[in-house]
Amino acid sequence: MKKFLSVTLAAAMVLSLAACGSSSSNEADSTAAGAAEDKTYVIATDTVFAPFEFTDEENNFVGIDVDILDAIAQDQGFKYELQSLGFDAAVASLESGQSDGVIAGMSITDERKQKYDFSEAYYDSYVCMAVKDGSDIQGYEDLEGKTVAAKTGTQGADCAESLKDQYGFNIQYFDESSLMYQDVVTGNSVACFEDQPVMAYGITQGNGLKIAAEEQENFSTPYGFAVLKGQNQELLEMFNTGLANIIENGTYDEIVAKYTNAE
Ligand code: GLN
């Protein structure tokens, strides 16, 4: 009984300390163990990867990843600073210890699991190839001798690399999805490789592209939140617990609906 009381007291002290924290994004009142530390986690993300992260018309940085992270942080009572770096740069910052975690529509792949620990999956995705709307490219067979665009360090790039020799095309690399699409619209590249949910959203937003091939078998991998292998396990645990909570209480569905049901 005594032990129970002191634990409760300690938890209460942690809570009041956490409540005094100076984070802009933390109004949480929850009892996560990790809240014991008055730490601000640095989380790295992509720049333009709508609907997961992007800057809206009011110049706010928003998206499914952005809102999920915030909801989880509130649920679990941890503070964070979100840094929008680009996908490859976000992963590099995690690797060099400049950030504690990455949420960037990051696919949970076996290869990446050697270097990172991932949360539970929070969104299903697969790679697709998109071409300019009106293009007569119908599939990989039409890519011979042509250039396609891919984003450095992504699954889309892996997919393009895996097909390159067989179909005889070249790859032009970009750091941002938007630049990759632009290259296809201007006609320098005849196609680009991108995650299907992102491309489908972009098409509804009028990016001028259409989907020409889908890789639901070989490049189908859900998204997860990543930390460096063996590091920041308390953050990973809080993410998983918070994710389960926001799925359970409906917040997760609200967030996804907010970004995917928009006109
Ligand atoms: N899901 C892809 C990957 O993890 C792309 C992520 C991104 O471009 N933000 O490689």
Side-chain angles (χ1 to χ4, degrees):
M1 186 61 185
K2 202 168 172 200
K3 186 159 180 223
F4 173 73
L5 267 180
S6 60
V7 167
T8 313
L9 193 62
M13 285 169 68
V14 162
L15 273 182
S16 55
L17 279 176
C20 298
S22 58
S23 165
S24 55
S25 52
N26 176 8
E27 292 134 28
D29 58 356
S30 131
T31 54
E37 278 177 76
D38 192 28
K39 175 173 166 127
T40 299
Y41 292 101
V42 177
I43 313 288
T45 187
D46 203 342
T47 46
V48 196
F49 200 58
F52 296 93
E53 44 266 349
F54 60 103
T55 303
D56 71 9
E57 285 124 31
E58 281 98 54
N59 223 23
N60 297 312
F61 193 65
V62 296
I64 294 174
D65 285 347
V66 177
D67 284 12
I68 283 180
L69 174 64
D70 195 58
I72 289 174
Q74 289 200 30
D75 182 78
Q76 292 293 296
F78 67 83
K79 290 184 285 180
Y80 67 94
E81 181 196 322
L82 189 60
Q83 296 187 347
S84 163
L85 305 175
F87 183 71
D88 201 39
V91 174
S93 87
L94 180 62
E95 226 148 288
S96 66
Q98 284 170 291
S99 61
D100 299 302
V102 168
I103 186 159
M106 184 170 176
S107 305
I108 304 172
T109 66
D110 288 340
E111 199 187 339
R112 287 179 180 159
K113 279 193 210 157
Q114 314 286 315
K115 288 157 105 184
Y116 316 109
D117 289 327
F118 284 96
S119 70
E120 296 298 325
Y122 66 85
Y123 205 93
D124 285 330
S125 180
Y126 58 89
V127 172
C128 71
M129 178 179 82
V131 298
K132 189 175 174 173
D133 194 17
S135 159
D136 50 15
I137 304 257
Q138 313 230 328
Y140 305 139
E141 310 74 36
D142 300 325
L143 298 177
E144 180 145 22
K146 307 260 191 331
T147 298
V148 308
K151 185 166 146 193
T152 311
T154 63
Q155 273 251 288
D158 281 355
C159 180
E161 283 152 19
S162 76
L163 300 165
K164 178 179 185 274
D165 291 341
Q166 187 184 350
Y167 294 99
F169 57 81
N170 303 308
I171 305 174
Q172 172 79 50
Y173 291 90
F174 296 89
D175 285 334
E176 267 192 26
S177 286
S178 54
L179 298 175
M180 183 166 76
Y181 307 164
Q182 203 50 50
D183 208 56
V184 178
V185 169
T186 57
N188 297 321
S189 294
V190 297
C192 66
F193 286 77
E194 177 63 286
D195 288 3
Q196 193 275 347
V198 172
M199 182 51 64
Y201 180 87
I203 289 169
T204 66
Q205 302 297 303
N207 70 5
L209 306 181
K210 68 172 182 191
I211 292 174
E214 303 197 302
E215 284 287 343
Q216 296 198 49
E217 265 177 40
N218 298 331
F219 290 90
S220 178
T221 37
Y223 296 159
F225 168 76
V227 296
L228 212 51
K229 205 165 185 61
Q231 309 278 311
N232 280 310
Q233 297 298 305
E234 75 296 331
L235 176 60
L236 191 61
E237 266 171 47
M238 288 191 285
F239 190 95
N240 278 330
T241 310
L243 178 62
N245 289 345
I246 67 165
I247 288 173
E248 165 120 25
N249 69 22
T251 306
Y252 173 90
D253 282 344
E254 275 170 34
I255 292 170
V256 170
K258 174 173 160 194
Y259 291 103
T260 53
N261 296 347
E263 45 2 307

